[in-house]
């Protein structure tokens, strides 16, 4: 880990530990360096104006009100951003894919040259889907989850059974090349899962829905956790 990255992470560790103190030993173990190295890093941060209080053997705290510029990313964070954007561009609908590219370009524009290169050359990739198999239902479903609008769908199951249902869309989850829609199905009066690529027809209804207890995504998660326990 480069020293510049470690300095950023030390400040972050102190911020996350507030209001408690963090010892040099704890940070040394966290960043795989010696206590002496942490002491030197702390001294450098203090000389640079970071409001850090404490002493060797006792621990260090970061006084409130200090923050780092929002684009001081570590290389690992840049790798995560690059992979995330590439994954969205590979698997999501065209609007969201374009938005991912635009967001990455904005981040890159604000980075120093060394970090720009890291963002561009991150060796992490997501396999592109053929445009013909992108689920066209993805965008309206995604928007309906946000807007809490009910949907009428004609669904073709894996057993090739076609049904028409009114659903409350709750969440989208990617499993490899398949996006799975979690919804409350009014026909079954229960939670159901639908593959986005098998929704043959979709209508966004004028009727909205509220976060009704027992029909929320959090309720399904709690039920699954209870069953697993």
């Amino acid at each position: 880990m480069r020293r510049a990255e470690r300095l950023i992470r030390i400040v972050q560790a102190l911020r996350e530990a507030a209001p408690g103190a963090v010892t040099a030993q704890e940070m040394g173990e966290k960043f795989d360096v010696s206590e002496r190295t942490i002491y030197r890093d702390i001294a450098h941060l203090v000389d640079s104006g970071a409001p850090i209080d404490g002493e060797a053997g006792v621990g260090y705290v970061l006084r409130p009100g200090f923050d780092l510029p929002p684009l001081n990313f570590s290389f690992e964070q840049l790798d995560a951003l690059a992979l995330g954007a590439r994954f969205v561009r590979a698997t999501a609908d065209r609007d969201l894919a374009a938005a991912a590219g635009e967001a990455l370009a904005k981040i890159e524009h604000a980075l120093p040259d060394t970090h720009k290169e890291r963002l561009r050359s991150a060796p992490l990739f997501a396999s592109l889907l053929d445009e013909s198999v992108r689920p066209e239902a993805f965008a309206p479903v995604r928007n309906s989850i946000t807007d809490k609008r009910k949907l009428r769908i004609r669904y073709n199951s894996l057993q090739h059974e076609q049904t028409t249902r009114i659903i409350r869309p709750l969440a989208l989850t990617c499993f490899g090349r398949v996006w799975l829609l979690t919804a409350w199905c009014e026909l079954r009066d229960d939670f159901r899962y639908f593959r986005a690529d098998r929704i043959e027809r979709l209508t966004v209804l004028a009727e909205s829905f509220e976060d009704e207890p027992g029909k929320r995504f959090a309720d399904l998660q709690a039920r699954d956790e209870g069953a697993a326990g």
Side-chain angles (χ1 to χ4, degrees):
M1 182 188 301
R2 295 185 179 186
R3 189 188 190 199
E5 291 185 38
R6 190 172 63 248
L7 292 174
I8 292 171
R9 293 192 178 193
I10 287 173
V11 173
Q12 184 64 31
L14 292 173
R15 183 191 298 116
E16 292 175 350
V22 185
T23 66
Q25 179 182 356
E26 290 171 335
M27 287 188 281
E29 292 173 353
K30 182 179 181 67
F31 304 125
D32 197 25
V33 295
S34 68
E35 290 183 49
R36 186 178 296 275
T37 296
I38 296 296
Y39 292 143
R40 287 198 296 264
D41 288 345
I42 293 289
H44 178 81
L45 287 166
V46 171
D47 290 342
S48 300
I52 298 173
D53 295 328
E55 60 182 283
V58 177
Y60 298 93
V61 296
L62 184 69
R63 293 197 299 273
F66 179 76
D67 206 350
L68 293 168
L71 292 183
N72 265 342
F73 293 115
S74 70
F75 279 177
E76 285 186 347
Q77 290 168 340
L78 292 174
D79 285 350
L81 289 170
L83 177 60
R86 290 168 183 172
F87 177 81
V88 172
R89 285 186 293 187
T91 62
D93 62 89
R94 293 180 181 85
D95 289 344
L96 203 59
E102 292 164 0
L104 208 60
K106 287 182 179 180
I107 293 171
E108 181 180 327
H109 180 73
L111 292 172
D113 290 341
T114 54
H115 286 60
K116 287 180 181 179
E117 180 58 29
R118 179 69 176 212
L119 190 64
R120 295 189 193 113
S121 62
L124 303 166
F125 303 96
S127 178
L128 292 172
L129 291 179
D130 185 283
E131 291 295 328
S132 65
V133 298
R134 283 187 187 270
E136 291 306 310
F138 189 95
V141 168
R142 175 169 55 82
N143 293 331
S144 295
I145 292 172
T146 301
D147 298 337
K148 297 186 183 301
R149 297 279 296 276
K150 290 186 179 183
L151 301 173
R152 178 186 293 113
I153 63 170
R154 186 172 73 185
Y155 187 72
N156 185 19
S157 72
L158 291 174
Q159 291 74 38
H160 303 290
E161 298 174 350
Q162 290 190 346
T163 57
T164 299
R165 306 171 184 232
I166 305 295
I167 63 172
R168 301 181 179 197
L170 301 174
L172 282 161
T173 306
C174 186
F175 292 90
R177 289 178 171 263
V178 174
W179 280 97
L180 202 64
L181 166 62
T182 304
W184 178 266
C185 176
E186 298 195 347
L187 176 66
R188 304 302 185 193
D189 196 32
D190 201 355
F191 296 104
R192 287 292 185 271
Y193 300 100
F194 304 94
R195 282 181 47 163
D197 59 315
R198 300 192 69 84
I199 297 176
E200 296 190 341
R201 183 176 299 172
L202 179 148
T203 303
V204 179
L205 302 178
E207 184 180 359
S208 61
F209 61 91
E210 300 297 327
D211 287 328
E212 185 178 339
K215 300 181 180 181
R216 302 166 300 188
F217 187 62
D219 298 317
L220 174 63
Q221 291 177 306
R223 189 173 78 179
D224 289 346
E225 290 173 2

